[in-house]
Every structure is written in C-alpha cells, then in structure tokens.
Amino acid sequence: MYAILHAAHLLASAGMDQTVCIWNVWSRDQKKARVLNCHHAAVKDVKWSPYGLFVLSCGYDCTSRLIDVEKGTETQVFNEDQVVGVVKFHPDNYNLFLSGGSKGHLKIWDIRAGKVVHQYVRNPDPILDAEFTVDAKRIISSSDTSKSNISENSIMVWDVSREIPLSNQVYGEAYTCPSISCHPSDPKFIAQSNGNYIAIFSTKPPFGLDKYRRYGGHSVSGFPIKCNFSLDGEKVISGSSDGYIYVYDSNTCKLIRKIKAYNEACIDVVFHPVMSNVVASCSWSGQVSVAVT
C-alpha cells in the first residue's frame, strides 16, 4: 500500500492489489466502507478532491482515474504512455491536476477537457514525487536519477506557465528523495532524503538548501518513506524503516515524539485535515492505522 490520504471521517488508501479502499475511520464495525476496482494494475497514489466527493488515483496501468466515491464508479480516465506514480490537485484551480511518471514526464491535466494543458520534460528519470508551491507558480519534483547526474537532477524546480526548469541543482548531495512537501504558508519545502534525514529548502530563488538545519533520527533505508507538514505548518511528520512514526517541531527540527506503528517499515503518514493530533499511516505490507500523537 503506497499512499494514504484522508478527509473528514473517511480515509483513502492505494494498494498493490489494484484497488483503492475507502475506510470509515471512526466505525467500530465496518471499517472498509468501499472498495474501488477501477484500475487494472497496482495503484501508486490516491488523492481526495478538495470537496471530498471524488478520489483521483494513478498507477501501473498507465492511467489516472477520477472516481465518484459515493457511486463507486470512475467518471474519467486519463491515459498516458508511462506508469503514473504521483498525482496532485492544483491548489487554486480544482479542475487541474498534476501527474508524474516513470518516463520523467510531468503533466498538468484539465479535467473538463480531459487533456494535457502543460507538460514538463527534462530527462527520462522516473518521477518519485511532485508538488505545487503554495502560490501555484512553481512545481517541485524529485526524480530517481542515475548515479552520473544524481547531484544535478534529483530535485528540480519548474516554472508552471513557461514550462521550463528554473533550477536543477537544488540538492547537491548524492541521494535521491522519495518525498516532497511544501510548507502551507512559509516559503520553504522539505524533501525526504535517502541519506536518512529530511532536508529543508527555500521555495524562492535560488531555492537553497538550509545547511544548518535538518530533521534527523528516523531511517529511510531505501524505502519510499513519505514526510508531510501539519496543516498549520508547526510539525513535520515522517514514516521510518524501523516502523515508527516520527513527529518533529517544524521550526526547531527537534524530535517531539515517536510512535511505534508497525513491526516493518512505515512508508506513509499524514495528518488529519481537521484534528491536528490524529495521524493516519500505512506499512510496507499494506496495513493501515490511525493514531493520536
């Protein structure tokens, strides 16, 4: 199970079993509210629509799919020539979404027209994650780059309207970054590094790395471990290969607490959109749980 996200009392999970599951977090009897069987291969990512009526999912069948949660049926299919690994709704225009895939192509789709309106291509390395900045003027992407150019292209910043890279030398360390997350209000973003720490960057030119602060203590160990900000930006949360959830103070980078979640890698963890002390997580083998921090 690769990614989870939840809205209000419902939680959505994407699984290698080709399904998207909708979970009722607070139900004691029937936790699994709906199973969506729309994909024909493993599902890599899922996101709730801003109003919670739909989920947008993507996967190994080279598609992104918009699914009506209540009806359990897909309303639109967006076909690509690459495995799609990440999808993100545009922060201001909910009729647009971003997709990134195995051939290194980033695309912005118009849901109403069902077609690509912007495309960003620099190299053929697979996209690991991608994120709009808060003002939606830039896209930050991370790639699974080859060893020869890993320090140049592992993180890239793109101009949304001009479709050009603004910088490909953001992160000079020889590590790939499986996760990107932008602060909800401050001009900074974080990247989960395979160097076993979370790096901090500016979203303003020249998009510099903060060389004096980082979030450390958890372990990545080659897993696609995710990291995220809380909605108020005061906390940073991360999974870890040791099965713990790590909660850091966003400003001081100090570890606030760690929570034992699994006996294997915890690969994704997100804050509840309303209750800031509640988090949802998933394990490498597909377990899903909710915890209080």
Side-chain angles (χ1 to χ4, degrees), residues 120 137-139 157-166:
Y120 313 86
K137 294 180 179 180
R138 301 183 179 102
I139 295 168
V157 181
W158 303 83
D159 185 288
V160 170
S161 60
R162 293 187 292 164
E163 301 183 358
I164 60 171
L166 298 175

Side-chain angles (χ1 to χ4, degrees), residues 23 75 86 92 176 183:
W23 306 82
T75 60
V86 57
D92 297 328
T176 55
H183 192 279

Side-chain angles (χ1 to χ4, degrees), residues 148-215:
S148 61
N149 63 351
I150 192 171
S151 62
E152 292 187 357
N153 296 311
S154 61
I155 295 178
M156 298 187 67
V157 181
W158 303 83
D159 185 288
V160 170
S161 60
R162 293 187 292 164
E163 301 183 358
I164 60 171
L166 298 175
S167 178
N168 70 329
Q169 297 181 340
V170 177
Y171 187 45
E173 302 293 326
Y175 300 112
T176 55
C177 300
S179 178
I180 299 286
S181 182
C182 285
H183 192 279
S185 56
D186 295 344
K188 65 180 181 182
F189 71 94
I190 56 176
Q192 183 79 268
S193 170
N194 272 306
N196 294 319
Y197 62 88
I198 298 172
I200 306 169
F201 303 86
S202 173
T203 56
K204 294 183 177 180
F207 316 107
L209 167 69
D210 188 331
K211 298 180 180 179
Y212 303 101
R213 297 189 307 144
R214 62 172 59 172
Y215 307 95

Side-chain angles (χ1 to χ4, degrees), residues 140-275:
I140 302 162
S141 65
S142 62
S143 301
D144 189 7
T145 56
S146 62
K147 293 182 178 179
S148 61
N149 63 351
I150 192 171
S151 62
E152 292 187 357
N153 296 311
S154 61
I155 295 178
M156 298 187 67
V157 181
W158 303 83
D159 185 288
V160 170
S161 60
R162 293 187 292 164
E163 301 183 358
I164 60 171
L166 298 175
S167 178
N168 70 329
Q169 297 181 340
V170 177
Y171 187 45
E173 302 293 326
Y175 300 112
T176 55
C177 300
S179 178
I180 299 286
S181 182
C182 285
H183 192 279
S185 56
D186 295 344
K188 65 180 181 182
F189 71 94
I190 56 176
Q192 183 79 268
S193 170
N194 272 306
N196 294 319
Y197 62 88
I198 298 172
I200 306 169
F201 303 86
S202 173
T203 56
K204 294 183 177 180
F207 316 107
L209 167 69
D210 188 331
K211 298 180 180 179
Y212 303 101
R213 297 189 307 144
R214 62 172 59 172
Y215 307 95
H218 62 284
S219 177
V220 179
S221 304
F223 287 96
I225 305 291
K226 299 291 186 181
C227 60
N228 284 289
F229 282 103
S230 58
L231 289 185
D232 60 6
E234 294 298 314
K235 297 176 183 176
V236 168
I237 198 164
S238 176
S240 181
S241 63
D242 61 8
Y244 280 84
I245 297 169
Y246 285 71
V247 184
Y248 297 97
D249 184 286
S250 174
N251 298 309
T252 66
C253 297
K254 291 183 178 179
L255 178 66
I256 299 173
R257 66 182 58 88
K258 63 178 187 177
I259 305 163
K260 182 65 173 179
Y262 309 104
N263 293 320
E264 58 185 343
C266 174
I267 61 170
D268 199 1
V269 58
V270 291
F271 283 96
H272 191 279
V274 178
M275 293 175 286

